[in-house]
Amino acid sequence: MDHRPHVPDQDLTWTAEIHQVRSRLRFPLRATFRWSSRDPLCVEVTFHPPGGRDVTWVIGRDLLDRGLRTLAGTGEVRVRPSAGPGREGQVLLRLGAVPPYALFALDRAALASWLERTWAAVPAGAEAERLDWAFFEGLLADR
């Protein structure tokens, strides 16, 4: 029997105007950030290029949060703060390990505000309480 208190599931979405950066040029596009308390470790980011097909990446919530303050990530996903327009500058999000990778600039204050809402829903360190461990046990049992 599960003795944990029931906490209602929560889904948070933020759609932002961001810019894809290529050389010195910036191209505006929309991106939708989705987070769910059912999978609190991850953020789904869907890029909506004009005239193109949507592309979705799954990025660690803690990686995005660390990238607000310092260079974070290795390999395919890197995030770092940067000077630029906006109240607190920007965050640069790089996807891909080697050139030609995709580089996006987004408002740092807006990302920080949205991430704060996710931390309020499921605080750091409490994520494991929300995971479906039966799912993982089933994966291990099939090995």
Side-chain angles (χ1 to χ4, degrees), residues 2-10 35 37-38 120-123 126 129-130:
D2 188 356
H3 296 288
R4 294 176 293 175
H6 175 70
V7 179
D9 290 332
Q10 209 171 1
W35 174 87
S37 61
R38 290 179 300 284
V122 178
E129 298 170 14
R130 300 303 300 254

Side-chain angles (χ1 to χ4, degrees), residues 125-136:
E127 296 95 345
E129 298 170 14
R130 300 303 300 254
L131 296 178
D132 179 5
W133 290 107
F135 169 77
F136 294 109

Side-chain angles (χ1 to χ4, degrees), residues 2 5-7 15 26 33 48 50 55-56 62 68 82 91 94-95 108 113 116 131:
D2 188 356
H6 175 70
V7 179
T15 300
R26 291 174 173 247
F33 291 71
H48 311 283
V55 176
T56 300
D62 60 334
L68 293 171
S82 174
V91 168
R94 189 182 94 179
L95 303 176
R108 183 175 174 225
S113 176
E116 279 300 317
L131 296 178

Side-chain angles (χ1 to χ4, degrees), residues 51-125:
R53 292 174 30 196
D54 289 355
V55 176
T56 300
W57 281 68
V58 178
I59 302 171
R61 176 175 70 157
D62 60 334
L63 178 68
L64 287 172
D65 190 61
R66 276 194 317 272
L68 293 171
R69 296 176 300 284
T70 188
L71 174 62
T74 58
E76 294 284 319
V77 180
R78 293 192 180 188
V79 186
R80 72 176 176 87
S82 174
R87 194 177 56 200
E88 296 178 19
Q90 296 181 317
V91 168
L92 296 179
L93 171 62
R94 189 182 94 179
L95 303 176
V98 296
Y101 48 77
L103 183 64
F104 302 95
L106 54 143
D107 184 84
R108 183 175 174 225
L111 176 60
S113 176
W114 182 77
L115 284 171
E116 279 300 317
R117 292 175 51 214
T118 73
W119 293 118
V122 178

